[in-house]
Amino acid sequence: MFAIYVTVAAILNLGDSKNHGSRRGQHQFHCRRMDLKDLCETSEGKECKDYIPDYERVCKLYRTSTAEKSTTILSSEKVPYWDAAPPTILVFTQNVTVAPGERFDIQCMAEGAPAPYVEISFKEDADLTPLSGNLDANSVDIEKRAVQTLYSQPYAIYEDEGWYRCVAKNEMGVVYEDTFLSIASPQDICENVECPDSKVCEADFDTGEAVCVCPYCSLEDFENDNNLYCGSDCSTVLSMCSFAEEQCKGVNVHHFHDGFCSEFSQPEYSFEEIQQTELEYGDEIQLTCQGVPAGDTPGPEPIIRWYQDWGDDFGGREMLGEGNTLKYTVQMSTSLICVGVHCSGNDIQRRETDIKHFSLVLPTLAPTTTPPPTTTPPVFTPDPISTEEEEAPSTTSLHIPTTPLPPTARADGGAVCQIMGDPFVSTFDNKWYKQDGVCTYVLAMDCRFAQWFVYGRFTQFGEISSLETITVYSGRSVLELQRGWIINNNGEKLAVTVGKEHHFNQLTYLFDGETLTLKFGEGNQIRWNGFNGAQIVTSPDAHTCGLCGNNNGEIEDDFNTRYRQRAEDAYTFASSWGLRQSRACYKNDISVEVTSEAEEACSFIFFHPYILKCHDTVPVQEYELACAQSYASNTYEGWRAECNMLQSYVLQCETRGLNLSQWRQRTKCTPLEEVQKFTIENGCPQDNPPV
């Protein structure tokens, strides 16, 4: 404590005690008696800023000295002497915002050979001095490590704000990256923000931005208005504030009467028939359905909702909107349904009654030669909901031309990225591009919390580049998926058994004889075909970056580089995510002419009748083009590129819920037994292959 007093006194450069009689002198003496903790972290200490010119600098040094710091070795292996290279920073927490008093963590992960030293500090305090010492040229092996360093503060203060730098160094060089930490209270973030209607401002600390949200009813609201109210949605609530809360969210509900909701009779519904009998693509139609309260105990006016019905195999019903009329632009064969939502029955609950089905029926089209014809998707006419007091809805048929469904990369509530073929990449947002680089790249990572990280090594395969291995970092676990369905854990091969689920720390994996599925984190998974193709699945709201894009639903900004700039071409974009370790990254720039043979081979299997049923769920055009390119560039004996690409397509179809388990037999593709033999023989050596 004495050393701290001396430090503060020296900083203040105070004179003797005879100046203590003045008010300023008393403040100086008070500051002089403080230790650094009180000086930097209390309101009284902050009053000393006027007497300490370097107050912020001193407090930053103090905070750095008291921060929680830890380093974890994620993986370690011996590599040849000639693989020595400067470190590569794999993960560094991006710019974050936290509130005063909240905990914050800054994470940095780096890999290098020799093993790197990794440190996080304020940018101005970073030490960029290279490590001393030289490598022993007589050494056969050196140690390659992946290291994770964590810099944490249990509670944030405003003096923590600023630029932080992660420095990774070894005997071969020094690399660093910067990030900015913002300290802001909700009041700071919401200052000067005006929200529309009845919404209020809240601080989103994940993005550091203000968001307008609907306010929630407080306990005080219920205490001040302790009555019963029946709503138009048949629910009984304890406060009028509940209706305002739902209306703010866009829910069409209002106060119907005081007290408990009573039993209401069935409303009366009507609709208008459509006059047209045939339509063309792009035509606009207007549909009308109405409902009015009726009976001895009429309830609230029913709500009319409109749905598009894709059928049970294609996701069921999708709501289009509410209101008595629907304006719809004809784009595909489908079934539109108007539904009445009303209160009815003794149990006083919301009920839905199908009022009318409008079926848009496709005509038979004459076959074409280029491309081969698609089959007519089924017309979905759901069975009506049957009740004793309701009649089955009627049906009107219309005829429109065939059009494909719009593309999407969503699957089972998740976002999907695929690496396949020549190779090609389709991002989480379904942007397609050809990946010609030879390097190790960041495929995808959690760019918000840095909780997981996936990278892939692309090597020369014949005349093309090809995905060879995938490495997954999740928590403190690191696993590498190698060719031949091998799982490598720091030089040790984990057991892989067909049909048996295995657990490794917080990760699980399952091999079905053709695809190895590894699950990690919260809802993330990788599906590896054992040779050159993979599917990465993450949650729809995950903030990602890497070759798989940012997963924000917009393909226009998928080529954002590691340095937060927009790349003009695929190679520049991919290169920014390259991990230049032991070898230089380069572009495998070869020119391949797509032949008529390639086009015919791919057209045959992708437009096979067994595969056609997936066309409306997963658009086939990009897969067919990538197939022809991969077929033309394939020089590997025993490898059918068109079947390899079809496997990626089928995997996407099955992720959407379609069953295409007989695709190999139906399309006469390579039997699974031969694929397994090829994959094992051309994979990494192993004593006990899984098949």
Side-chain angles (χ1 to χ4, degrees):
M1 187 67 71
F2 174 75
I4 295 177
Y5 288 153
V6 171
T7 301
V8 176
I11 294 169
L12 292 172
N13 194 21
L14 300 178
D16 55 36
S17 59
K18 61 185 178 182
N19 293 324
H20 296 166
S22 66
R23 180 177 180 83
R24 178 179 178 86
Q26 291 175 352
H27 277 299
Q28 289 180 340
F29 182 78
H30 179 66
C31 294
R32 181 178 181 175
R33 300 298 300 170
M34 285 186 178
D35 61 23
L36 285 176
K37 178 177 175 61
D38 291 338
L39 183 73
C40 297
E41 299 180 1
T42 65
S43 57
E44 291 182 350
K46 295 183 186 300
E47 295 178 357
C48 298
K49 286 184 178 181
D50 294 338
Y51 314 117
I52 306 179
D54 293 333
Y55 177 87
E56 292 186 1
R57 177 70 179 145
V58 169
C59 287
K60 282 190 174 184
L61 290 172
Y62 163 71
R63 293 289 287 178
T64 300
S65 67
T66 59
E68 299 175 0
K69 303 175 185 178
S70 62
T71 298
T72 304
I73 298 175
L74 299 176
S75 65
S76 179
E77 62 178 321
K78 295 293 185 180
V79 297
Y81 170 83
W82 51 82
D83 276 355
T88 298
I89 295 177
L90 306 177
V91 176
F92 188 36
T93 303
Q94 292 191 346
N95 300 342
V96 293
T97 302
V98 296
E102 297 294 325
R103 178 186 179 89
F104 70 85
D105 301 288
I106 301 177
Q107 180 191 45
C108 185
M109 184 191 304
E111 186 177 61
Y117 170 76
V118 183
E119 184 177 40
I120 302 172
S121 66
F122 281 104
K123 180 178 178 179
E124 57 267 28
D125 299 326
D127 181 8
L128 300 180
T129 306
L131 291 181
S132 59
N134 297 313
L135 295 180
D136 183 1
N138 295 319
S139 299
V140 176
D141 296 324
I142 57 175
E143 186 176 24
K144 176 182 177 181
R145 279 186 181 178
V147 178
Q148 175 181 277
T149 294
L150 193 65
Y151 179 104
S152 308
Q153 286 285 9
Y155 54 92
I157 63 175
Y158 282 102
E159 283 69 29
D160 290 322
E161 181 172 280
W163 284 99
Y164 288 76
R165 174 166 289 179
C166 170
V167 177
K169 62 178 72 174
N170 62 11
E171 289 81 353
M172 301 301 294
V174 180
V175 295
Y176 63 86
E177 286 191 16
D178 297 331
T179 189
F180 192 82
L181 174 70
S182 299
I183 309 297
S185 66
Q187 293 77 16
D188 297 332
I189 296 176
C190 287
E191 187 177 8
N192 300 324
V193 175
E194 295 184 2
C195 291
D197 302 327
S198 57
K199 293 186 177 182
V200 296
C201 180
E202 279 190 3
D204 184 346
F205 287 100
D206 290 338
T207 62
E209 298 177 352
V211 293
C212 292
V213 300
C214 293
Y216 294 98
C217 295
S218 65
L219 179 61
E220 184 179 357
D221 290 326
F222 291 104
E223 290 176 344
N224 294 337
D225 185 12
N226 189 17
N227 295 304
L228 297 175
Y229 304 99
C230 176
S232 59
D233 62 348
C234 311
S235 62
T236 301
V237 299
L238 297 176
S239 173
M240 291 289 287
C241 132
S242 298
F243 299 128
E245 181 180 301
E246 293 301 308
Q247 290 168 3
C248 178
K249 297 176 182 177
V251 179
N252 186 9
V253 61
H254 57 271
H255 171 233
F256 184 60
H257 64 65
D258 292 350
F260 283 104
C261 291
S262 56
E263 180 180 349
F264 302 117
S265 52
Q266 176 83 3
E268 292 182 355
Y269 293 108
S270 62
F271 58 87
E272 294 182 9
E273 291 283 1
I274 299 180
Q275 302 302 318
Q276 304 100 308
T277 58
E278 293 188 2
L279 294 174
E280 294 183 358
Y281 174 79
D283 281 354
E284 290 190 356
I285 60 175
Q286 179 170 300
L287 307 177
T288 301
C289 287
Q290 295 178 325
V292 294
D296 297 334
T297 55
E301 182 177 348
I303 299 171
I304 304 299
R305 288 180 181 166
W306 297 88
Y307 292 90
Q308 189 163 10
D309 194 345
W310 300 102
D312 293 338
D313 293 336
F314 293 83
R317 295 184 177 188
E318 176 187 3
M319 184 173 171
L320 301 178
E322 291 185 353
N324 290 345
T325 60
L326 172 71
K327 291 183 178 180
Y328 182 78
T329 302
V330 179
Q331 294 179 327
M332 63 195 74
S333 175
T334 189
S335 178
L336 303 180
I337 307 172
C338 69
V339 175
V341 185
H342 55 91
C343 306
S344 182
N346 294 326
D347 50 357
I348 313 301
Q349 63 180 357
R350 297 286 272 182
R351 300 184 61 191
E352 293 193 355
T353 301
D354 283 11
I355 303 170
K356 174 71 175 177
H357 289 195
F358 300 93
S359 294
L360 311 181
V361 182
L362 294 170
T364 302
L365 298 181
T368 58
T369 56
T370 306
T374 59
T375 57
T376 300
V379 177
F380 306 115
T381 307
D383 295 332
I385 299 175
S386 176
T387 64
E388 294 181 357
E389 56 184 352
E390 299 174 8
E391 296 182 357
S394 59
T395 301
T396 299
S397 297
L398 303 176
H399 300 276
I400 62 173
T402 305
T403 55
L405 293 177
T408 176
R410 305 295 167 182
D412 294 340
V416 179
C417 172
Q418 280 191 302
I419 302 95
M420 66 207 112
D422 191 7
F424 288 84
V425 177
S426 67
T427 68
F428 290 123
D429 296 327
N430 208 30
K431 182 182 183 71
W432 282 69
Y433 65 94
K434 194 170 183 297
Q435 204 300 95
D436 289 321
V438 175
C439 193
T440 299
Y441 298 95
V442 177
L443 297 180
M445 62 175 283
D446 173 11
C447 270
R448 177 172 294 173
F449 304 112
Q451 296 299 307
W452 55 268
F453 169 82
V454 180
Y455 69 78
R457 183 166 71 234
F458 291 77
T459 57
Q460 195 84 14
F461 179 64
E463 295 183 359
I464 64 173
S465 57
S466 178
L467 179 63
E468 183 179 42
T469 66
I470 293 180
T471 303
V472 179
Y473 291 84
S474 179
R476 296 188 176 184
S477 299
V478 183
L479 292 181
E480 181 186 42
L481 308 183
Q482 300 176 342
R483 284 181 173 170
W485 298 294
I486 295 172
I487 302 181
N488 173 37
N489 172 39
N490 198 22
E492 177 186 356
K493 293 181 175 65
L494 302 185
V496 178
T497 309
V498 176
K500 180 179 179 181
E501 185 174 75
H502 296 266
H503 298 267
F504 178 80
N505 295 338
Q506 301 300 315
L507 287 67
T508 61
Y509 58 92
L510 174 66
F511 180 50
D512 63 6
E514 185 169 14
T515 303
L516 176 63
T517 301
L518 173 68
K519 297 181 179 181
F520 60 97
E522 297 182 4
N524 306 308
Q525 62 175 278
I526 292 176
R527 305 179 75 185
W528 169 238
N529 74 356
F531 194 73
N532 71 340
Q535 184 186 71
I536 304 174
V537 183
T538 189
S539 61
D541 56 352
H543 180 193
T544 66
C545 53
L547 265 59
C548 286
N550 56 18
N551 189 32
N552 67 351
E554 300 176 4
I555 65 173
E556 292 80 7
D557 60 359
D558 267 2
F559 274 6
N560 284 345
T561 70
R562 182 176 182 175
Y563 312 104
R564 302 174 181 87
Q565 297 175 340
R566 188 74 55 84
E568 297 296 329
D569 60 89
Y571 181 69
T572 302
F573 162 68
S575 296
S576 74
W577 293 103
L579 309 179
R580 295 161 180 81
Q581 298 169 340
S582 58
R583 304 174 182 86
C585 299
Y586 65 91
K587 185 177 183 181
N588 184 28
D589 197 3
I590 62 171
S591 178
V592 177
E593 180 181 355
V594 176
T595 63
S596 58
E597 178 186 346
E599 292 177 339
E600 291 173 1
C602 293
S603 177
F604 174 78
I605 61 172
F606 275 97
F607 286 88
H608 188 281
Y610 185 73
I611 304 299
L612 284 173
K613 61 183 179 180
C614 184
H615 281 201
D616 284 342
T617 302
V618 180
V620 74
Q621 290 85 352
E622 295 285 2
Y623 287 93
E624 187 186 11
L625 292 173
C627 173
Q629 178 77 37
S630 300
Y631 185 99
S633 62
N634 177 42
T635 59
Y636 210 88
E637 183 178 355
W639 181 254
R640 291 186 62 184
E642 73 274 25
C643 292
N644 176 246
M645 186 60 68
L646 182 60
Q647 180 189 25
S648 297
Y649 180 76
V650 169
L651 194 64
Q652 188 76 302
C653 296
E654 291 180 344
T655 304
R656 311 289 180 84
L658 275 72
N659 183 2
L660 295 176
S661 59
Q662 300 297 312
W663 69 273
R664 287 192 180 276
Q665 298 90 321
R666 297 292 185 88
T667 62
K668 306 301 181 183
C669 267
T670 312
L672 179 58
E673 294 77 11
E674 295 183 24
V675 173
Q676 292 173 339
K677 180 180 179 182
F678 176 91
T679 304
I680 297 296
E681 290 179 350
N682 292 277
C684 296
Q686 52 182 317
D687 297 328
N688 300 300
V691 290

